[in-house]
Amino acid sequence: MIGTPRVPFVAGNWKMNLTRAESRELAGRIAAAGPEFGGSTIVLMPPFTALGDVAAALTGSDVALGAQDLFWEDRGAYTGEVSGPMLKDAGCAYVLVGHSERRQYFGETDATVGRKVRAALKAGLRPIVCVGEVLEEREAGRTTARIDDQLARGLDGFSRDEIERMIFAYEPVWAIGTGKTASPGQAEEVHAHIRRRLEEGYGKTTASCAIILYGGSVKPANSNPLFKEKNIDGFLVGGASLEAESFIGIVREALLAYREEK
Ligand code: 13P
């Protein structure tokens, strides 16, 4: 354990799934389970079209709203884009930046990640900055070098205060949607590395308070052993966040681990 025990932080990235009605239904069921969450931070990230519906379904609950991406300008002629102030206006508190699917399919680079992180902070959103290696990089022993690159280039020029408003997510690309989870040991190794880098750059306090999430085929069955690792503060969940039972199960298992170990 590093610093004080941290309650779980679990975010559901719904990706490009669910209609507005389905989103309302799922958000309502998760909000209703609120008393079970024991002070955990829970964030739902629906597609843009359902942000308003999910915001309404979460009213009066402790479950927070997030978006999956943003553009770095506030407004203007940028067809198809959505800005930080718009997300704030829609009720978001968090936004994903640099998800591997954005990097892989939509040309997101470390430089655009940096611009988006800056825009998120300016809008008063907490960015969840995603990093992770592809299988070839892992097999070539270049996992930590890749993570270092993403952190160094994506976070170049940010102050300690800004770093403290960020959340980090380690998502090994080979574990996303594949059913292959990083073992607790594999994930912990990278999480500890990220925390070390934060300590080197911004000091012990900043590093020990940083929230570092794991993502990649998280399910109720692996939530507990992953959360028991010292540097894993919670999860960024894809597929299993589309079912209330499995998402709630992940939070429940993480809470059990927190209560047992931390
Ligand atoms: P899966 O949980 O479906 O592997 O997705 C992980 C992810 O990409 C969350 O952002």
Side-chain angles (χ1 to χ4, degrees):
M1 182 180 68
I2 300 211
T4 50
R6 280 155 290 180
V7 289
F9 184 118
V10 184
N13 173 11
W14 294 0
K15 306 191 180 181
M16 196 176 74
N17 292 293
L18 307 186
T19 62
R20 292 173 51 205
E22 289 165 343
S23 298
R24 279 196 300 272
E25 154 91 20
L26 179 57
R29 291 184 61 192
I30 291 168
E36 275 198 67
F37 296 152
S40 306
T41 302
I42 307 297
V43 186
L44 302 184
M45 302 178 139
F48 292 134
T49 47
L51 282 173
D53 294 87
V54 173
L58 298 180
T59 304
S61 81
D62 287 335
V63 178
L65 185 67
Q68 300 172 17
D69 188 29
L70 80 168
F71 189 55
W72 55 76
E73 297 291 346
D74 285 353
R75 68 184 64 75
Y78 302 102
T79 302
E81 294 297 325
V82 174
S83 73
M86 288 170 169
L87 296 178
K88 190 78 184 164
D89 181 53
C92 291
Y94 299 88
V95 62
L96 288 179
V97 181
H99 190 280
S100 67
E101 287 150 15
R102 301 291 321 164
R103 295 176 190 258
Q104 190 179 348
Y105 304 126
F106 305 102
E108 199 87 74
T109 64
D110 294 328
T112 59
V113 167
R115 295 183 80 174
K116 289 183 174 191
V117 168
R118 188 159 297 294
L121 292 172
K122 183 170 153 236
L125 298 161
R126 288 192 77 178
I128 301 180
V129 185
C130 304
V131 295
E133 82 288 2
V134 298
L135 188 59
E136 300 81 72
E137 290 163 338
R138 172 158 288 266
E139 286 175 344
R142 290 196 287 113
T143 297
T144 49
R146 180 70 188 116
I147 304 295
D148 283 347
D149 255 17
Q150 290 173 333
L151 289 175
R153 295 201 198 128
L155 302 183
D156 184 35
F158 288 99
S159 67
R160 182 189 307 156
D161 177 58
E162 288 167 328
I163 295 288
E164 286 176 359
R165 284 150 60 203
M166 299 175 195
I167 289 159
F168 301 92
Y170 168 56
E171 296 204 310
V173 178
W174 50 271
I176 296 179
T178 58
K180 283 189 208 161
T181 321
S183 69
Q186 282 175 319
E188 170 63 14
E189 199 180 340
V190 178
H191 281 234
H193 180 81
I194 294 171
R195 209 179 293 282
R196 260 195 312 278
R197 284 286 180 263
L198 291 172
E199 183 172 341
E200 286 161 14
Y202 310 96
K204 219 178 179 59
T205 311
T206 302
S208 66
C209 295
I211 297 170
I212 309 176
L213 310 178
Y214 169 76
S217 300
V218 177
K219 314 176 223 5
N222 55 28
S223 162
N224 189 299
L226 282 163
F227 196 80
K228 276 187 177 143
E229 295 293 339
K230 288 183 214 157
N231 287 287
I232 298 179
D233 304 312
F235 303 114
L236 182 53
V237 186
S241 70
L242 296 172
E243 298 279 344
E245 239 348 276
S246 51
F247 185 72
I248 294 163
I250 288 168
V251 180
R252 203 181 281 138
E253 289 297 325
L255 262 175
L256 281 174
Y258 166 72
R259 287 177 182 142
E260 284 164 30
E261 293 273 314
K262 304 208 172 187

